[in-house]
Amino acid sequence: MLPTHRLPQHARSSSQSLTRQFKHLASRPLIRWVALGLISIAVVWLLGHPLLLEREKLTFGPPRMVEPMIQPAYVRPPAQPSYSNSNLSSPRAEAVREAFLHAYNGYTEHAATYDELKPISGEKVNNFNGWAVTLIDALDTLWIMGLHDQFHAAVPTIAQISFLDQNKFAPFFETVIRVLGGLLSAYGLSGESVLLTRADDLGKALLPAFKTPSGLPMYSVNTATGATKAGWSPLLLWSETMSCQMEYKYLAHLTGRVEYYHRVERVMDIMHQAKLPYNLFPTMWNMGDAKPASQKYSVGAYADSAYEYMLKQYLLSAQSEKKAKEMYLNSADAIIENLFYLSPTRNLLYVTDTDRGTPSRTFEHLSCFLPGLLALGAHTLELSPADRELHQWAAQGLAYTCYVSYAEQATGLGPDEMVMDAWPPTDSNEDSRFAGRWIDHVRAWIKDGRPGDAPPGLHEPPAAKTGPRDYRIRNPSYMLRPETVESLYLLWRTTGDEQWRDRGWEIFQAIEHHTRTIYGFASIRDVGRVPTVRKDEMPSYFLAETLKYLYLLFVDEELIPLDKWVFNTEGHPLPVFEWTKWEKARYGIPL
Ligand code: DMJ
């Protein structure tokens, strides 16, 4: 700056008068304090003070987004799996890949760009938002199976999808796990940038779901206007509120967008602080005050993936998010303690739900993801020997029952819902509602010095194709669901026991035999009836999960190592990552 005496006269006098005015203002205490305050706010803002981060967190944004202060988006290199598919010789894996191609080609030839194929009529249907959900759900499976030509051929279609151009409501949970998860996984595997761009577009467009008084996400979002809508119930389903953290946190890591992290961590905080009588989470919650709204505890419908996302957030963050691990371990123990039962005659181990304290003895196909989760937890977490053993027993006994529920049906496919027989009344003082509770039998067995060759519930009685069984079937349909084969895969990977693969092979053969159609594969109405009666539907998760887990079960090489990748609840593997120093400071992640 020029010294004032070098300035022309008029400039010099106005500069001197400005200086005089400034000195006059600075001499007034009020003005001095205001100036000091403004300077402090500027400094605090530059340092990313948590109070200001909090304010940013509370800024709702139908499609408006807070841009990151720096622009790390799209520069982080994706974590490539280190394998080549050239030497995959397993005939079983090849058979699954052929089945996948049959389903995929049927979809692309007859239903391309629509959501799902109708595998009997060869028609197409938009049962989500018309964003080609089958194509996106199938992308990472294409990559993993080495079908890279098909993968690259699909990219231009994905590139031109606009997640904002329709006046429809997207179901938040399904869109996050299938579409956002599918895009992120395909990006993580392939490094194709446009997939991340689309994921970021979608992530932003879905954010208004969190615009509720509590911050728990609403059922659906209109991605064009940011309006939100409740589902069939004004209450929130617990699984739907707690199954978005993996996707949004990975997206926050890739893009540097703080809002992604804060929205989903707020849900974690609510659940972490909830006062729960048994360390189990009720299936329904109030949107307004984020308080439990039912006394039903389950690991099946309305609950399943929420338990999954506790352990998996911990694993995805390179085992750094301790709160998530603590929540998983507390609830896994509570599930084993309160929801695991034995069937009365064959002592099959199963998991059920309770309502106001009474077990229903219902056993859902959806619950068959749990053996895999428990096996993964026992494999990856530091547990005491007694806890590890208990979790492994629970995983193995339950996985066997899931398998037997297939093996005992005429089709070799498992029903969607069974009701197990009640345990006969005992003459003890014990509340008969809880007779047959597994943990009581295990404790008694340990106290007796562990007689016999296996703990209760792990004897694996042979499958009874005919004759009396200790359950009845409530919903006999098989909807091409993945949960049982997902668990068989994780049991195989964590134990190395070939039996799990053989059981998976039986299931795959039944799928081939009973569900294959000229265009793809179809759900069936009754697992106990041959010839089968089929439904004209092929859900996208059949390509995302069922066939992917079967393929991974039969490939010898561990294509997706469990210490480097974590599967979201739709079977989409996301790469393990570490929060950087900048992210920890900016997002407020505990160090
Ligand atoms: C899948 O879409 C997901 O696994 C979800 O978490 C619940 N189950 C369906 C398939 O059964």
Side-chain angles (χ1 to χ4, degrees):
M1 196 162 72
L2 284 171
T4 37
H5 67 269
R6 303 266 312 269
L7 294 174
Q9 178 60 38
H10 67 276
R12 207 182 311 157
S13 61
S14 73
S15 151
Q16 281 164 350
S17 107
L18 268 177
T19 312
R20 263 200 309 279
Q21 280 174 25
F22 178 75
K23 279 184 181 158
H24 172 68
L25 283 174
S27 70
R28 298 174 67 173
L30 179 66
I31 302 286
R32 261 212 319 267
W33 283 114
V34 169
L36 204 64
L38 287 173
I39 291 168
S40 312
I41 288 174
V43 169
V44 167
W45 181 76
L46 282 172
L47 294 175
H49 189 280
L51 279 177
L52 285 157
L53 292 179
E54 182 71 14
R55 181 184 300 173
E56 188 172 283
K57 186 168 84 178
L58 296 174
T59 309
F60 288 110
R64 181 179 154 266
M65 269 295 305
V66 180
E67 290 299 320
M69 286 170 67
I70 59 169
Q71 192 55 51
Y74 319 141
V75 296
R76 200 182 296 286
Q80 303 273 358
S82 55
Y83 65 85
S84 81
N85 289 65
S86 51
N87 57 354
L88 299 175
S89 53
S90 152
R92 289 179 176 184
E94 282 308 317
V96 177
R97 182 153 67 166
E98 190 283 323
F100 175 85
L101 269 174
H102 176 65
Y104 184 77
N105 291 338
Y107 165 77
T108 50
E109 280 160 30
H110 301 279
T113 79
Y114 280 67
D115 282 330
E116 287 179 348
L117 167 75
K118 292 179 139 209
I120 298 173
S121 58
E123 296 291 315
K124 51 206 174 193
V125 57
N126 275 336
N127 46 358
F128 287 86
N129 274 42
W131 297 335
V133 71
T134 299
L135 189 69
I136 297 176
D137 240 359
L139 274 180
D140 58 355
T141 314
L142 284 171
W143 189 269
I144 289 167
M145 290 185 174
L147 300 167
H148 293 185
D149 290 346
Q150 289 87 336
F151 179 94
H152 291 298
V155 170
T157 307
I158 314 277
Q160 64 191 25
I161 296 176
S162 163
F163 294 114
L164 297 176
D165 64 353
Q166 293 186 34
N167 219 18
K168 283 185 193 161
F169 283 78
F172 177 74
F173 163 77
E174 296 291 356
T175 309
V176 167
I177 67 167
R178 297 184 196 221
V179 184
L180 190 56
L183 290 169
L184 286 170
S185 179
Y187 168 72
L189 290 162
S190 69
E192 189 71 70
S193 309
V194 72
L195 301 174
L196 176 56
T197 312
R198 287 288 84 83
D200 192 27
D201 293 344
L202 181 61
K204 277 187 223 170
L206 293 174
L207 273 184
F210 294 96
K211 199 169 120 186
T212 58
S214 60
L216 296 181
M218 184 75 102
Y219 169 75
S220 66
V221 191
N222 182 317
T223 51
T225 64
T228 58
K229 219 163 62 174
W232 58 269
S233 163
L235 300 172
L236 299 173
L237 311 188
W238 184 54
S239 55
E240 298 201 349
T241 69
M242 265 289 292
S243 309
C244 52
Q245 287 76 11
M246 294 177 67
E247 296 81 1
Y248 268 105
K249 285 184 175 179
Y250 180 44
L251 194 54
H253 177 63
L254 291 172
T255 61
R257 295 192 198 281
V258 64
E259 197 174 6
Y260 289 155
Y261 178 87
H262 283 167
R263 295 290 180 208
V264 299
E265 191 60 5
R266 162 102 184 120
V267 179
M268 284 294 282
D269 287 337
I270 290 172
M271 296 303 159
H272 187 235
Q273 286 155 18
K275 304 268 174 290
L276 303 167
Y278 309 101
N279 275 337
L280 290 170
F281 291 83
T283 51
M284 310 292 265
W285 290 70
N286 281 315
M287 194 185 326
D289 59 6
K291 296 271 184 270
S294 82
Q295 291 180 53
K296 181 168 176 177
Y297 302 105
S298 170
V299 296
Y302 307 173
D304 47 10
S305 47
Y307 289 113
E308 195 180 342
Y309 273 40
M310 293 173 182
L311 174 63
K312 290 185 170 181
Q313 275 174 84
Y314 176 67
L315 298 179
L316 189 65
S317 65
Q319 311 208 0
S320 66
E321 295 187 12
K322 304 279 186 286
K323 180 171 66 190
K325 178 180 73 170
E326 179 200 315
M327 288 165 77
Y328 169 72
L329 283 176
N330 287 339
S331 49
D333 287 344
I335 291 167
I336 291 174
E337 187 90 11
N338 296 291
L339 303 182
F340 271 71
Y341 279 77
L342 292 171
S343 70
T345 47
R346 293 187 294 162
N347 284 6
L348 288 168
L349 182 59
Y350 67 97
V351 64
T352 191
D353 50 78
T354 64
D355 201 351
R356 293 181 195 83
T358 303
S360 73
R361 300 183 188 276
T362 301
F363 178 43
E364 296 171 61
H365 192 291
L366 284 173
S367 307
C368 283
F369 80 98
L370 187 61
L373 186 70
L374 290 169
L376 183 66
H379 185 67
T380 51
L381 301 179
E382 275 183 24
L383 300 178
S384 69
D387 280 348
R388 186 181 317 285
E389 185 178 60
L390 187 66
H391 287 214
Q392 284 168 341
W393 287 341
Q396 289 173 27
L398 186 58
Y400 182 75
T401 307
C402 292
Y403 154 72
V404 152
S405 76
Y406 281 60
E408 296 191 338
Q409 317 312 325
T411 54
L413 295 168
D416 211 51
E417 216 175 306
M418 301 151 63
V419 182
M420 311 303 278
D421 289 351
W423 198 265
T426 57
D427 47 9
S428 72
N429 288 334
E430 189 186 282
D431 185 336
S432 62
R433 286 177 305 167
F434 305 123
R437 192 162 56 184
W438 183 57
I439 196 70
D440 302 329
H441 290 259
V442 171
R443 287 189 181 130
W445 177 77
I446 292 174
K447 205 166 151 210
D448 286 354
R450 304 183 171 223
D453 53 356
L458 275 89
H459 286 96
E460 304 194 347
K465 277 273 184 200
T466 54
R469 297 172 188 155
D470 35 11
Y471 59 83
R472 68 183 166 82
I473 291 176
R474 181 146 69 195
N475 179 350
S477 56
Y478 171 64
M479 298 191 236
L480 300 171
R481 286 195 195 276
E483 291 78 17
T484 296
V485 294
E486 169 184 351
S487 282
L488 295 182
Y489 169 64
L490 288 162
L491 264 290
W492 144 245
R493 270 286 152 218
T494 54
T495 65
D497 185 344
E498 287 284 334
Q499 282 196 90
W500 299 115
R501 292 178 117 180
D502 295 340
R503 290 164 182 164
W505 180 241
E506 281 177 41
I507 291 174
F508 174 70
Q509 287 175 297
I511 289 174
E512 269 285 346
H513 193 73
H514 294 290
T515 74
R516 194 177 181 115
T517 69
I518 157 175
Y519 300 109
F521 292 83
S523 301
I524 64 169
R525 288 188 191 280
D526 186 347
V527 293
R529 211 164 126 188
V530 178
T532 50
V533 180
R534 297 168 184 183
K535 291 191 212 174
D536 202 4
E537 63 179 30
M538 183 175 79
S540 69
Y541 57 69
F542 180 64
L543 290 88
E545 296 189 76
T546 313
L547 293 175
K548 181 189 287 141
Y549 284 122
L550 281 165
Y551 181 74
L552 291 173
L553 180 64
F554 302 132
V555 175
D556 287 328
E557 197 178 340
E558 189 178 12
L559 297 181
I560 305 292
L562 294 179
D563 59 342
K564 297 200 171 56
W565 297 82
V566 188
F567 292 92
N568 87 341
T569 190
E570 187 74 3
H572 296 304
L574 303 178
V576 170
F577 65 86
E578 288 189 40
W579 292 114
T580 64
K581 213 170 156 194
W582 178 84
E583 286 162 347
K584 285 181 185 166
R586 177 81 174 117
Y587 300 176
I589 301 171
L591 300 172

